[in-house]
Amino acid sequence: MSARSSWLLFYPRTSLSIALVFLMGFGVPHATHAEGPGTTRANPPVLVIVEVPKPWLVPRFLVARKMRDTISEYEALPGLAFKAYSIRHADGAFGGLYLWDDADRARTWFSPGWFERVERERGAAAQVRFFQVLTVIDTVQGGTLMDTRSKSVASLLMLPPNSVLADFSPEALVGLVAADKRVPGLLRRYRVIDEGGRTGVLSIWESTAAARLLMSDSMEAESEWFDTPILLPSSLPSHPSRLGGSEGAPQ
Protein backbone atom coordinates (compact mmCIF):
# COMPACT_ATOMS: atom_id res chain seq x y z
CA MET A 1 0.00 0.00 0.00
CA SER A 2 1.36 3.41 -0.91
CA ALA A 3 1.30 6.48 1.30
CA ARG A 4 -0.78 8.24 -1.34
CA SER A 5 -3.90 6.17 -0.77
CA SER A 6 -4.95 4.38 2.35
CA TRP A 7 -8.04 3.03 3.97
CA LEU A 8 -7.89 5.00 7.19
CA LEU A 9 -9.50 2.39 9.41
CA PHE A 10 -8.31 3.18 12.88
CA TYR A 11 -11.56 1.99 14.50
CA PRO A 12 -12.82 5.23 16.04
CA ARG A 13 -15.25 5.15 18.94
CA THR A 14 -18.51 4.93 17.07
CA SER A 15 -19.68 2.77 14.16
CA LEU A 16 -20.78 5.87 12.28
CA SER A 17 -17.27 7.27 12.49
CA ILE A 18 -15.85 4.07 11.04
CA ALA A 19 -18.19 4.27 8.08
CA LEU A 20 -17.29 7.91 7.42
CA VAL A 21 -13.58 7.20 7.60
CA PHE A 22 -14.01 4.27 5.21
CA LEU A 23 -15.50 6.63 2.64
CA MET A 24 -12.43 8.86 2.76
CA GLY A 25 -9.98 6.50 1.09
CA PHE A 26 -8.90 2.96 0.38
CA GLY A 27 -5.71 1.14 -0.64
CA VAL A 28 -4.88 -2.54 -0.79
CA PRO A 29 -1.68 -4.49 -1.60
CA HIS A 30 -1.29 -7.20 -4.38
CA ALA A 31 0.55 -10.14 -6.15
CA THR A 32 2.60 -11.09 -9.42
CA HIS A 33 4.26 -13.61 -12.06
CA ALA A 34 5.75 -17.08 -12.58
CA GLU A 35 7.37 -19.61 -14.90
CA GLY A 36 6.91 -23.19 -15.96
CA PRO A 37 8.29 -26.48 -14.69
CA GLY A 38 11.89 -27.19 -15.55
CA THR A 39 12.84 -23.55 -15.15
CA THR A 40 15.57 -22.71 -12.65
CA ARG A 41 15.77 -19.26 -11.14
CA ALA A 42 17.75 -18.04 -8.16
CA ASN A 43 14.90 -15.68 -7.30
CA PRO A 44 11.65 -17.30 -8.50
CA PRO A 45 8.29 -15.56 -8.78
CA VAL A 46 6.00 -15.42 -5.78
CA LEU A 47 2.33 -15.28 -4.92
CA VAL A 48 1.45 -13.00 -2.01
CA ILE A 49 -1.97 -13.18 -0.35
CA VAL A 50 -2.90 -10.11 1.67
CA GLU A 51 -5.90 -9.92 4.00
CA VAL A 52 -7.02 -7.08 6.26
CA PRO A 53 -10.03 -7.34 8.62
CA LYS A 54 -13.12 -5.50 7.39
CA PRO A 55 -15.29 -3.42 9.77
CA TRP A 56 -18.52 -5.34 10.29
CA LEU A 57 -20.81 -2.57 9.08
CA VAL A 58 -19.11 -1.85 5.75
CA PRO A 59 -21.00 -3.56 2.88
CA ARG A 60 -19.22 -5.57 0.22
CA PHE A 61 -20.23 -3.24 -2.63
CA LEU A 62 -18.52 -0.33 -0.88
CA VAL A 63 -15.34 -2.35 -0.43
CA ALA A 64 -15.30 -3.10 -4.18
CA ARG A 65 -15.98 0.55 -5.03
CA LYS A 66 -13.05 1.74 -2.96
CA MET A 67 -10.83 -0.93 -4.47
CA ARG A 68 -11.50 0.51 -7.93
CA ASP A 69 -10.12 3.86 -6.79
CA THR A 70 -6.66 2.29 -6.39
CA ILE A 71 -6.34 0.63 -9.81
CA SER A 72 -4.09 3.32 -11.29
CA GLU A 73 -1.52 2.74 -8.54
CA TYR A 74 -1.04 -0.92 -9.39
CA GLU A 75 -1.61 -1.45 -13.12
CA ALA A 76 1.94 -0.39 -14.05
CA LEU A 77 3.76 -1.24 -10.82
CA PRO A 78 7.24 -2.62 -11.67
CA GLY A 79 7.53 -6.28 -10.79
CA LEU A 80 3.80 -6.88 -10.40
CA ALA A 81 2.47 -9.15 -13.15
CA PHE A 82 -1.10 -9.68 -11.99
CA LYS A 83 -3.37 -8.70 -9.13
CA ALA A 84 -6.79 -10.03 -8.26
CA TYR A 85 -8.41 -7.84 -5.63
CA SER A 86 -9.97 -10.18 -3.11
CA ILE A 87 -12.67 -10.48 -0.45
CA ARG A 88 -12.48 -13.68 1.59
CA HIS A 89 -15.75 -15.59 1.84
CA ALA A 90 -15.18 -16.79 5.39
CA ASP A 91 -15.00 -13.39 7.10
CA GLY A 92 -15.02 -10.61 4.49
CA ALA A 93 -11.33 -9.76 4.96
CA PHE A 94 -10.22 -7.67 1.98
CA GLY A 95 -6.92 -7.51 0.14
CA GLY A 96 -5.38 -9.05 -2.93
CA LEU A 97 -3.85 -12.07 -4.60
CA TYR A 98 -0.58 -10.71 -6.01
CA LEU A 99 1.69 -12.40 -8.52
CA TRP A 100 5.16 -10.83 -8.36
CA ASP A 101 8.06 -11.45 -10.75
CA ASP A 102 10.33 -12.32 -7.84
CA ALA A 103 10.57 -12.29 -4.07
CA ASP A 104 12.88 -9.26 -4.00
CA ARG A 105 10.20 -7.06 -5.61
CA ALA A 106 7.51 -8.43 -3.31
CA ARG A 107 9.45 -8.03 -0.07
CA THR A 108 10.53 -4.52 -1.04
CA TRP A 109 6.87 -3.58 -1.42
CA PHE A 110 5.76 -5.34 1.79
CA SER A 111 8.41 -3.64 3.89
CA PRO A 112 8.31 -3.10 7.68
CA GLY A 113 7.13 0.41 6.94
CA TRP A 114 4.22 -0.97 4.89
CA PHE A 115 3.07 -3.12 7.83
CA GLU A 116 3.37 -0.19 10.23
CA ARG A 117 1.30 2.04 7.96
CA VAL A 118 -1.45 -0.54 7.55
CA GLU A 119 -1.80 -1.08 11.28
CA ARG A 120 -1.64 2.65 12.03
CA GLU A 121 -4.11 3.70 9.34
CA ARG A 122 -6.52 0.75 9.46
CA GLY A 123 -6.36 -0.09 13.13
CA ALA A 124 -5.65 -3.73 12.38
CA ALA A 125 -2.62 -5.74 11.31
CA ALA A 126 -2.52 -7.15 7.79
CA GLN A 127 -1.99 -10.86 7.27
CA VAL A 128 0.52 -11.42 4.45
CA ARG A 129 1.44 -14.87 3.17
CA PHE A 130 4.23 -15.65 0.70
CA PHE A 131 4.29 -18.63 -1.69
CA GLN A 132 6.93 -19.70 -4.19
CA VAL A 133 5.29 -20.09 -7.60
CA LEU A 134 6.22 -23.08 -9.76
CA THR A 135 3.81 -22.60 -12.68
CA VAL A 136 1.41 -19.97 -13.97
CA ILE A 137 -1.35 -20.75 -16.45
CA ASP A 138 -3.55 -18.14 -18.10
CA THR A 139 -6.14 -19.89 -20.28
CA VAL A 140 -7.40 -16.70 -21.97
CA GLN A 141 -6.06 -16.13 -25.47
CA GLY A 142 -3.84 -13.05 -25.25
CA GLY A 143 -4.05 -13.03 -21.45
CA THR A 144 -6.77 -12.27 -18.94
CA LEU A 145 -7.99 -8.70 -19.46
CA MET A 146 -8.69 -6.05 -16.85
CA ASP A 147 -12.16 -6.47 -15.39
CA THR A 148 -13.30 -3.92 -12.81
CA ARG A 149 -16.67 -5.58 -12.22
CA SER A 150 -15.63 -9.18 -12.28
CA LYS A 151 -17.87 -12.04 -11.16
CA SER A 152 -14.87 -14.30 -10.80
CA VAL A 153 -13.90 -16.20 -7.68
CA ALA A 154 -10.63 -17.68 -6.46
CA SER A 155 -9.87 -20.86 -4.57
CA LEU A 156 -6.74 -21.71 -2.61
CA LEU A 157 -6.27 -25.42 -1.93
CA MET A 158 -3.41 -26.52 0.31
CA LEU A 159 -2.84 -30.20 -0.37
CA PRO A 160 -2.13 -32.98 2.14
CA PRO A 161 1.33 -34.53 1.64
CA ASN A 162 -0.13 -37.91 0.66
CA SER A 163 -2.35 -36.48 -2.09
CA VAL A 164 -1.56 -37.53 -5.65
CA LEU A 165 -2.16 -33.87 -6.56
CA ALA A 166 0.68 -32.80 -4.26
CA ASP A 167 3.36 -34.28 -6.53
CA PHE A 168 5.08 -31.16 -7.90
CA SER A 169 8.10 -32.92 -9.37
CA PRO A 170 9.20 -31.55 -12.76
CA GLU A 171 7.78 -34.61 -14.52
CA ALA A 172 4.41 -34.30 -12.79
CA LEU A 173 4.19 -30.55 -13.44
CA VAL A 174 4.46 -31.09 -17.20
CA GLY A 175 1.27 -33.11 -17.14
CA LEU A 176 -0.48 -30.81 -14.67
CA VAL A 177 0.25 -27.72 -16.78
CA ALA A 178 -1.15 -29.42 -19.88
CA ALA A 179 -4.29 -30.44 -17.98
CA ASP A 180 -4.75 -26.97 -16.45
CA LYS A 181 -5.05 -25.40 -19.88
CA ARG A 182 -8.12 -27.53 -20.64
CA VAL A 183 -10.12 -26.93 -17.45
CA PRO A 184 -13.52 -25.35 -18.31
CA GLY A 185 -14.17 -22.04 -16.60
CA LEU A 186 -10.59 -21.68 -15.30
CA LEU A 187 -8.98 -18.29 -16.01
CA ARG A 188 -5.66 -18.55 -14.18
CA ARG A 189 -3.87 -21.09 -12.00
CA TYR A 190 -0.71 -20.92 -9.90
CA ARG A 191 0.91 -24.00 -8.39
CA VAL A 192 2.68 -22.92 -5.25
CA ILE A 193 4.72 -23.94 -2.21
CA ASP A 194 4.18 -22.08 1.06
CA GLU A 195 6.90 -21.09 3.51
CA GLY A 196 6.29 -24.28 5.46
CA GLY A 197 6.94 -26.46 2.41
CA ARG A 198 3.30 -27.37 1.74
CA THR A 199 2.10 -27.56 -1.86
CA GLY A 200 -1.01 -25.77 -3.05
CA VAL A 201 -3.04 -24.53 -6.00
CA LEU A 202 -4.45 -21.02 -6.40
CA SER A 203 -7.14 -20.91 -9.10
CA ILE A 204 -9.10 -17.97 -10.47
CA TRP A 205 -12.44 -19.03 -11.96
CA GLU A 206 -14.73 -17.08 -14.26
CA SER A 207 -17.67 -17.67 -11.89
CA THR A 208 -18.75 -19.54 -8.79
CA ALA A 209 -20.68 -21.98 -10.96
CA ALA A 210 -17.57 -22.82 -12.97
CA ALA A 211 -15.56 -23.43 -9.81
CA ARG A 212 -18.17 -25.64 -8.20
CA LEU A 213 -18.39 -27.90 -11.23
CA LEU A 214 -14.91 -29.21 -10.50
CA MET A 215 -14.42 -28.43 -6.81
CA SER A 216 -16.03 -30.31 -3.95
CA ASP A 217 -16.22 -29.24 -0.32
CA SER A 218 -15.46 -32.85 0.56
CA MET A 219 -12.03 -32.75 -1.09
CA GLU A 220 -9.19 -33.68 1.22
CA ALA A 221 -7.59 -30.26 1.11
CA GLU A 222 -7.50 -27.13 3.23
CA SER A 223 -9.52 -24.62 1.21
CA GLU A 224 -10.16 -20.88 1.15
CA TRP A 225 -12.51 -19.04 -1.16
CA PHE A 226 -12.45 -15.43 -2.31
CA ASP A 227 -14.57 -13.13 -4.42
CA THR A 228 -12.29 -11.35 -6.88
CA PRO A 229 -14.24 -8.24 -7.96
CA ILE A 230 -11.33 -6.73 -9.90
CA LEU A 231 -8.83 -8.52 -12.14
CA LEU A 232 -5.77 -6.41 -12.93
CA PRO A 233 -3.05 -7.65 -15.30
CA SER A 234 0.07 -5.54 -15.67
CA SER A 235 -0.19 -2.81 -18.31
CA LEU A 236 3.58 -2.61 -18.76
CA PRO A 237 4.68 -3.27 -22.37
CA SER A 238 5.85 -6.81 -23.13
CA HIS A 239 5.14 -7.94 -19.60
CA PRO A 240 5.22 -11.76 -19.27
CA SER A 241 1.77 -11.75 -17.67
CA ARG A 242 0.32 -10.82 -21.06
CA LEU A 243 1.45 -14.06 -22.72
CA GLY A 244 -1.88 -15.76 -22.16
CA GLY A 245 -2.09 -19.49 -22.79
CA SER A 246 1.65 -19.83 -23.34
CA GLU A 247 2.50 -18.51 -19.90
CA GLY A 248 3.72 -21.23 -17.59
CA ALA A 249 4.39 -23.68 -20.38
CA PRO A 250 7.21 -26.15 -19.68
CA GLN A 251 10.59 -24.83 -20.73
Side-chain angles (χ1 to χ4, degrees), residues 180-210:
D180 288 343
K181 294 179 180 180
R182 300 191 296 270
V183 176
L186 179 67
L187 298 178
R188 294 177 68 87
R189 175 165 286 171
Y190 315 145
R191 295 190 180 275
V192 301
I193 301 176
D194 73 8
E195 293 183 294
R198 295 188 304 165
T199 57
V201 182
L202 187 287
S203 304
I204 301 177
W205 307 87
E206 64 183 18
S207 66
T208 300

Short mmCIF file of all heavy atoms in Angstrom, two decimals, residues 180-210:
data_model
loop_
_atom_site.label_atom_id
_atom_site.label_comp_id
_atom_site.label_asym_id
_atom_site.label_seq_id
_atom_site.Cartn_x
_atom_site.Cartn_y
_atom_site.Cartn_z
N ASP A 180 -4.20 -28.25 -16.90
CA ASP A 180 -4.75 -26.97 -16.45
C ASP A 180 -5.32 -26.16 -17.62
O ASP A 180 -6.33 -25.48 -17.48
CB ASP A 180 -3.69 -26.15 -15.74
CG ASP A 180 -3.33 -26.69 -14.36
OD1 ASP A 180 -4.12 -27.50 -13.82
OD2 ASP A 180 -2.27 -26.31 -13.83
N LYS A 181 -4.65 -26.21 -18.74
CA LYS A 181 -5.05 -25.40 -19.88
C LYS A 181 -6.40 -25.83 -20.45
O LYS A 181 -7.02 -25.07 -21.20
CB LYS A 181 -3.99 -25.48 -20.98
CG LYS A 181 -2.67 -24.84 -20.60
CD LYS A 181 -1.65 -24.97 -21.72
CE LYS A 181 -0.32 -24.34 -21.35
NZ LYS A 181 0.67 -24.45 -22.44
N ARG A 182 -6.86 -27.02 -20.08
CA ARG A 182 -8.12 -27.53 -20.64
C ARG A 182 -9.27 -27.52 -19.64
O ARG A 182 -10.35 -28.03 -19.93
CB ARG A 182 -7.90 -28.97 -21.14
CG ARG A 182 -6.84 -29.11 -22.23
CD ARG A 182 -6.86 -30.48 -22.85
NE ARG A 182 -6.52 -31.52 -21.88
CZ ARG A 182 -5.29 -31.95 -21.64
NH1 ARG A 182 -4.27 -31.42 -22.31
NH2 ARG A 182 -5.06 -32.91 -20.77
N VAL A 183 -9.07 -26.92 -18.48
CA VAL A 183 -10.12 -26.93 -17.45
C VAL A 183 -11.20 -25.89 -17.80
O VAL A 183 -10.91 -24.70 -17.90
CB VAL A 183 -9.53 -26.61 -16.07
CG1 VAL A 183 -10.64 -26.53 -15.03
CG2 VAL A 183 -8.52 -27.68 -15.67
N PRO A 184 -12.46 -26.31 -17.98
CA PRO A 184 -13.52 -25.35 -18.31
C PRO A 184 -13.73 -24.33 -17.18
O PRO A 184 -13.75 -24.69 -16.01
CB PRO A 184 -14.77 -26.26 -18.45
CG PRO A 184 -14.24 -27.63 -18.68
CD PRO A 184 -12.93 -27.70 -17.93
N GLY A 185 -13.87 -23.08 -17.57
CA GLY A 185 -14.17 -22.04 -16.60
C GLY A 185 -12.98 -21.54 -15.80
O GLY A 185 -13.13 -20.62 -14.98
N LEU A 186 -11.79 -22.11 -16.01
CA LEU A 186 -10.59 -21.68 -15.30
C LEU A 186 -9.93 -20.54 -16.07
O LEU A 186 -9.63 -20.68 -17.25
CB LEU A 186 -9.62 -22.84 -15.15
CG LEU A 186 -8.29 -22.54 -14.45
CD1 LEU A 186 -8.53 -22.21 -12.98
CD2 LEU A 186 -7.32 -23.72 -14.59
N LEU A 187 -9.67 -19.41 -15.39
CA LEU A 187 -8.98 -18.29 -16.01
C LEU A 187 -7.48 -18.36 -15.79
O LEU A 187 -6.70 -18.26 -16.74
CB LEU A 187 -9.52 -16.97 -15.44
CG LEU A 187 -10.98 -16.66 -15.69
CD1 LEU A 187 -11.36 -15.34 -15.02
CD2 LEU A 187 -11.29 -16.61 -17.19
N ARG A 188 -7.07 -18.52 -14.53
CA ARG A 188 -5.66 -18.55 -14.18
C ARG A 188 -5.44 -19.58 -13.08
O ARG A 188 -6.33 -19.83 -12.26
CB ARG A 188 -5.17 -17.18 -13.70
CG ARG A 188 -5.19 -16.11 -14.76
CD ARG A 188 -4.77 -14.76 -14.20
NE ARG A 188 -3.37 -14.73 -13.82
CZ ARG A 188 -2.36 -14.42 -14.65
NH1 ARG A 188 -2.61 -14.14 -15.92
NH2 ARG A 188 -1.11 -14.40 -14.22
N ARG A 189 -4.22 -20.14 -13.06
CA ARG A 189 -3.87 -21.09 -12.00
C ARG A 189 -2.39 -21.00 -11.68
O ARG A 189 -1.55 -20.96 -12.58
CB ARG A 189 -4.24 -22.52 -12.39
CG ARG A 189 -3.80 -23.58 -11.38
CD ARG A 189 -4.48 -24.91 -11.63
NE ARG A 189 -5.89 -24.86 -11.21
CZ ARG A 189 -6.77 -25.83 -11.47
NH1 ARG A 189 -6.40 -26.88 -12.18
NH2 ARG A 189 -8.01 -25.73 -11.03
N TYR A 190 -2.09 -20.95 -10.38
CA TYR A 190 -0.71 -20.92 -9.90
C TYR A 190 -0.51 -22.15 -9.02
O TYR A 190 -1.30 -22.40 -8.09
CB TYR A 190 -0.42 -19.68 -9.05
CG TYR A 190 -0.92 -18.37 -9.61
CD1 TYR A 190 -1.38 -17.37 -8.75
CD2 TYR A 190 -0.94 -18.11 -10.98
CE1 TYR A 190 -1.83 -16.15 -9.24
CE2 TYR A 190 -1.40 -16.90 -11.48
CZ TYR A 190 -1.84 -15.92 -10.61
OH TYR A 190 -2.29 -14.72 -11.10
N ARG A 191 0.53 -22.90 -9.29
CA ARG A 191 0.91 -24.00 -8.39
C ARG A 191 2.04 -23.50 -7.50
O ARG A 191 3.04 -22.97 -8.00
CB ARG A 191 1.31 -25.24 -9.20
CG ARG A 191 0.11 -25.78 -9.97
CD ARG A 191 0.33 -27.13 -10.62
NE ARG A 191 -0.88 -27.54 -11.33
CZ ARG A 191 -1.91 -28.16 -10.78
NH1 ARG A 191 -1.83 -28.51 -9.50
NH2 ARG A 191 -2.97 -28.48 -11.48
N VAL A 192 1.85 -23.66 -6.21
CA VAL A 192 2.68 -22.92 -5.25
C VAL A 192 3.19 -23.82 -4.12
O VAL A 192 2.67 -24.92 -3.90
CB VAL A 192 1.88 -21.75 -4.64
CG1 VAL A 192 1.40 -20.79 -5.73
CG2 VAL A 192 0.70 -22.24 -3.81
N ILE A 193 4.19 -23.32 -3.43
CA ILE A 193 4.72 -23.94 -2.21
C ILE A 193 4.78 -22.86 -1.14
O ILE A 193 5.36 -21.79 -1.37
CB ILE A 193 6.11 -24.55 -2.43
CG1 ILE A 193 6.07 -25.60 -3.54
CG2 ILE A 193 6.64 -25.16 -1.14
CD1 ILE A 193 7.43 -26.17 -3.89
N ASP A 194 4.17 -23.11 0.03
CA ASP A 194 4.18 -22.08 1.06
C ASP A 194 5.49 -22.12 1.84
O ASP A 194 6.37 -22.96 1.58
CB ASP A 194 2.96 -22.19 1.97
CG ASP A 194 3.00 -23.38 2.93
OD1 ASP A 194 4.03 -24.08 3.02
OD2 ASP A 194 1.96 -23.63 3.59
N GLU A 195 5.63 -21.20 2.79
CA GLU A 195 6.90 -21.09 3.51
C GLU A 195 7.15 -22.26 4.45
O GLU A 195 8.26 -22.44 4.93
CB GLU A 195 6.93 -19.75 4.26
CG GLU A 195 6.98 -18.57 3.31
CD GLU A 195 7.09 -17.23 4.04
OE1 GLU A 195 6.13 -16.86 4.74
OE2 GLU A 195 8.16 -16.58 3.89
N GLY A 196 6.12 -23.07 4.66
CA GLY A 196 6.29 -24.28 5.46
C GLY A 196 6.56 -25.51 4.62
O GLY A 196 6.68 -26.62 5.17
N GLY A 197 6.65 -25.34 3.30
CA GLY A 197 6.94 -26.46 2.41
C GLY A 197 5.71 -27.19 1.90
O GLY A 197 5.83 -28.19 1.18
N ARG A 198 4.51 -26.72 2.23
CA ARG A 198 3.30 -27.37 1.74
C ARG A 198 3.00 -26.94 0.30
O ARG A 198 3.23 -25.79 -0.08
CB ARG A 198 2.10 -27.03 2.62
CG ARG A 198 2.19 -27.55 4.04
CD ARG A 198 0.85 -27.32 4.75
NE ARG A 198 0.47 -25.92 4.72
CZ ARG A 198 -0.77 -25.49 5.00
NH1 ARG A 198 -1.72 -26.36 5.30
NH2 ARG A 198 -1.04 -24.20 4.97
N THR A 199 2.46 -27.86 -0.49
CA THR A 199 2.10 -27.56 -1.86
C THR A 199 0.64 -27.12 -1.93
O THR A 199 -0.20 -27.54 -1.13
CB THR A 199 2.31 -28.78 -2.78
OG1 THR A 199 1.54 -29.88 -2.26
CG2 THR A 199 3.77 -29.17 -2.84
N GLY A 200 0.34 -26.27 -2.91
CA GLY A 200 -1.01 -25.77 -3.05
C GLY A 200 -1.31 -25.31 -4.46
O GLY A 200 -0.42 -25.24 -5.32
N VAL A 201 -2.58 -24.98 -4.69
CA VAL A 201 -3.04 -24.53 -6.00
C VAL A 201 -3.95 -23.33 -5.79
O VAL A 201 -4.95 -23.41 -5.06
CB VAL A 201 -3.82 -25.63 -6.74
CG1 VAL A 201 -4.23 -25.14 -8.12
CG2 VAL A 201 -2.99 -26.90 -6.84
N LEU A 202 -3.60 -22.20 -6.40
CA LEU A 202 -4.45 -21.02 -6.40
C LEU A 202 -5.09 -20.92 -7.78
O LEU A 202 -4.38 -20.83 -8.79
CB LEU A 202 -3.63 -19.77 -6.08
CG LEU A 202 -4.32 -18.40 -5.84
CD1 LEU A 202 -4.85 -17.78 -7.13
CD2 LEU A 202 -5.41 -18.50 -4.80
N SER A 203 -6.40 -20.95 -7.83
CA SER A 203 -7.14 -20.91 -9.10
C SER A 203 -8.06 -19.71 -9.12
O SER A 203 -8.71 -19.40 -8.12
CB SER A 203 -7.97 -22.18 -9.29
OG SER A 203 -7.17 -23.35 -9.21
N ILE A 204 -8.14 -19.04 -10.26
CA ILE A 204 -9.10 -17.97 -10.47
C ILE A 204 -10.10 -18.45 -11.52
O ILE A 204 -9.71 -18.80 -12.64
CB ILE A 204 -8.43 -16.66 -10.91
CG1 ILE A 204 -7.41 -16.21 -9.85
CG2 ILE A 204 -9.46 -15.57 -11.15
CD1 ILE A 204 -6.63 -14.96 -10.23
N TRP A 205 -11.37 -18.49 -11.13
CA TRP A 205 -12.44 -19.03 -11.96
C TRP A 205 -13.32 -17.91 -12.50
O TRP A 205 -13.52 -16.90 -11.83
CB TRP A 205 -13.30 -19.99 -11.14
CG TRP A 205 -12.55 -21.08 -10.45
CD1 TRP A 205 -11.97 -21.02 -9.21
CD2 TRP A 205 -12.29 -22.38 -10.95
NE1 TRP A 205 -11.36 -22.21 -8.91
CE2 TRP A 205 -11.54 -23.07 -9.96
CE3 TRP A 205 -12.61 -23.05 -12.13
CZ2 TRP A 205 -11.12 -24.39 -10.12
CZ3 TRP A 205 -12.19 -24.36 -12.30
CH2 TRP A 205 -11.46 -25.02 -11.30
N GLU A 206 -13.89 -18.12 -13.67
CA GLU A 206 -14.73 -17.08 -14.26
C GLU A 206 -16.02 -16.85 -13.48
O GLU A 206 -16.61 -15.77 -13.55
CB GLU A 206 -15.06 -17.39 -15.71
CG GLU A 206 -15.89 -18.64 -15.93
CD GLU A 206 -16.12 -18.94 -17.40
OE1 GLU A 206 -15.39 -18.39 -18.24
OE2 GLU A 206 -17.04 -19.72 -17.69
N SER A 207 -16.45 -17.82 -12.69
CA SER A 207 -17.67 -17.67 -11.89
C SER A 207 -17.70 -18.74 -10.81
O SER A 207 -16.96 -19.73 -10.87
CB SER A 207 -18.92 -17.82 -12.77
OG SER A 207 -19.01 -19.15 -13.27
N THR A 208 -18.57 -18.53 -9.83
CA THR A 208 -18.75 -19.54 -8.79
C THR A 208 -19.24 -20.85 -9.38
O THR A 208 -18.80 -21.94 -8.98
CB THR A 208 -19.75 -19.04 -7.73
OG1 THR A 208 -19.25 -17.83 -7.16
CG2 THR A 208 -19.96 -20.06 -6.64
N ALA A 209 -20.15 -20.77 -10.34
CA ALA A 209 -20.68 -21.98 -10.96
C ALA A 209 -19.58 -22.80 -11.62
O ALA A 209 -19.54 -24.03 -11.51
CB ALA A 209 -21.76 -21.61 -11.98
N ALA A 210 -18.67 -22.11 -12.32
CA ALA A 210 -17.57 -22.82 -12.97
C ALA A 210 -16.68 -23.51 -11.96
O ALA A 210 -16.25 -24.65 -12.15
CB ALA A 210 -16.75 -21.84 -13.81
#
